Amino acid sequence: GCFGISTADISTGQCFVTEMDKPRRLVDEITKFMPAEIICNQSFLLCGIDVEDLRTRLHICVNALEDWYFDDDICRRTLQEQFHAATMEGLGIADYNCGTIAAGALFQYLHETQKSDLSHMNSITPYVTDKYMLIDSSSRRNLELVETLRSLLWVLDKTRTAMGARLLRSYVEQPLIDEDEINARLDAVEALTGQAMIREEIREYLRPVYDLERLVGRISYQSANPRDLIAFKSSLQMLPYIKQLLNSFDGDALAQIQEDLDPLEDLYQLVDAAIVDDTPYL
């Protein structure tokens, strides 16, 4: 059989989708993400996975939904409306039939339970599990990658932002296996380590950057207060300087980041003109 997985973090707006064919690998993927809640169809409860273990040992809430949530046409229509796509090809997940059903059911459930705007969740990222080294749940615990107090992540994490910390955690939990991609990442690391002064300058510009992913989530949910918007503005203020400093590095990966980085100066000016810095809590 085919298992479709779609994960969503409402606070950051991140959404992923993938597929696999073995229940054991599905459990490993669940262990990697450690979701607070799993929604599934009735077939999931009968496929041999120890659902009670997920509930008791991993403390994951598992809810089986009615069959109509997983209707092919409803799921496709839900995703096209959510992501404003005319076709599934436009979303980049046309080859993920089971994943499309999982993602469609997920967003129907989110719309039903959240009762709020999900416009900040404006993209869905497909990934292939074969792109990453498979680390089963037992090995994940024994290697002490992220869970323990003095884990590998604890040793490595010198990131300046919450977004960087989440990204580094994903790198540790999902090691690459493609040689070209590994070397591209290592080339970027070598470029950064080779210019220590510029690297430290970038780190200083990153220091005042708040968690933009979560701030955008609050703004989309209309739960942001004035101080959130001030944090948003002060974070945007750093982008032009970071973009300029990235010009100092050679290497395809960093050059691509520099090219893709929008300094959002027009958005900064809009927020700057609309709010004063000494606003009290409301």
Side-chain angles (χ1 to χ4, degrees), residues 88-108:
M88 298 310 295
E89 285 78 6
L91 285 177
I93 60 173
D95 295 333
Y96 293 76
N97 293 326
C98 296
T100 294
I101 293 171
L106 172 61
F107 273 94
Q108 289 175 80

Side-chain angles (χ1 to χ4, degrees), residues 138-174:
S138 175
S139 298
R140 196 175 295 278
R141 287 195 303 273
N142 292 334
L143 289 171
E144 298 185 338
L145 297 179
V146 298
E147 290 86 358
T148 60
L149 180 62
R150 294 185 178 273
S151 62
L152 175 61
L153 182 63
W154 176 83
V155 173
L156 296 176
D157 190 0
K158 302 298 184 290
T159 53
R160 288 294 199 208
T161 70
M163 296 170 289
R166 283 195 294 272
L167 182 63
L168 181 61
R169 184 186 180 105
S170 74
Y171 285 176
V172 171
E173 291 186 321
Q174 298 187 116

Side-chain angles (χ1 to χ4, degrees), residues 93-220:
I93 60 173
D95 295 333
Y96 293 76
N97 293 326
C98 296
T100 294
I101 293 171
L106 172 61
F107 273 94
Q108 289 175 80
Y109 181 72
L110 290 177
H111 283 295
E112 181 180 290
T113 57
Q114 299 303 307
K115 308 292 186 185
S116 58
D117 182 28
L118 298 174
S119 60
H120 67 297
M121 305 187 77
N122 54 20
S123 66
I124 184 167
T125 304
Y127 70 98
V128 180
T129 53
D130 291 344
K131 178 180 178 181
Y132 304 105
M133 183 186 298
L134 176 63
I135 306 176
D136 62 43
S137 53
S138 175
S139 298
R140 196 175 295 278
R141 287 195 303 273
N142 292 334
L143 289 171
E144 298 185 338
L145 297 179
V146 298
E147 290 86 358
T148 60
L149 180 62
R150 294 185 178 273
S151 62
L152 175 61
L153 182 63
W154 176 83
V155 173
L156 296 176
D157 190 0
K158 302 298 184 290
T159 53
R160 288 294 199 208
T161 70
M163 296 170 289
R166 283 195 294 272
L167 182 63
L168 181 61
R169 184 186 180 105
S170 74
Y171 285 176
V172 171
E173 291 186 321
Q174 298 187 116
L176 293 170
I177 57 175
D178 182 84
E179 184 178 354
D180 291 338
E181 292 192 36
I182 292 171
N183 285 327
R185 188 178 288 177
L186 291 175
D187 289 344
V189 172
E190 184 178 17
L192 287 163
T193 55
Q195 298 203 46
M197 290 183 63
I198 297 175
R199 184 185 74 246
E200 289 305 311
E201 195 171 351
I202 290 176
R203 284 170 59 81
E204 288 305 307
Y205 280 121
L206 286 171
R207 186 191 295 271
V209 175
Y210 290 81
D211 194 335
L212 286 171
E213 291 172 337
R214 295 195 188 279
L215 284 174
V216 168
R218 288 179 202 158
I219 293 168
S220 298

Side-chain angles (χ1 to χ4, degrees), residues 30 39 46 49 60 135 166 191 231 237 240 247-248 266 276 278 280:
I30 291 171
I39 61 167
L46 305 173
I49 289 175
I60 299 172
I135 306 176
R166 283 195 294 272
Q237 191 175 11
N247 277 321
S248 307
D266 53 342
V276 293
D278 57 351

Side-chain angles (χ1 to χ4, degrees), residues 9-10 21 25-26 51 57 62 69 72 92 109 119 125 178 186 192 197 217 221 228 232 239 242 251 259 263 273-274:
D9 186 334
I10 297 173
D21 57 3
R25 295 194 64 181
L26 177 61
V51 175
R57 183 173 62 85
V62 181
Y69 279 92
D72 289 19
Y109 181 72
S119 60
T125 304
D178 182 84
L186 291 175
L192 287 163
M197 290 183 63
Y221 263 72
D228 287 331
F232 185 63
L239 297 183
I242 295 171
E259 183 179 338

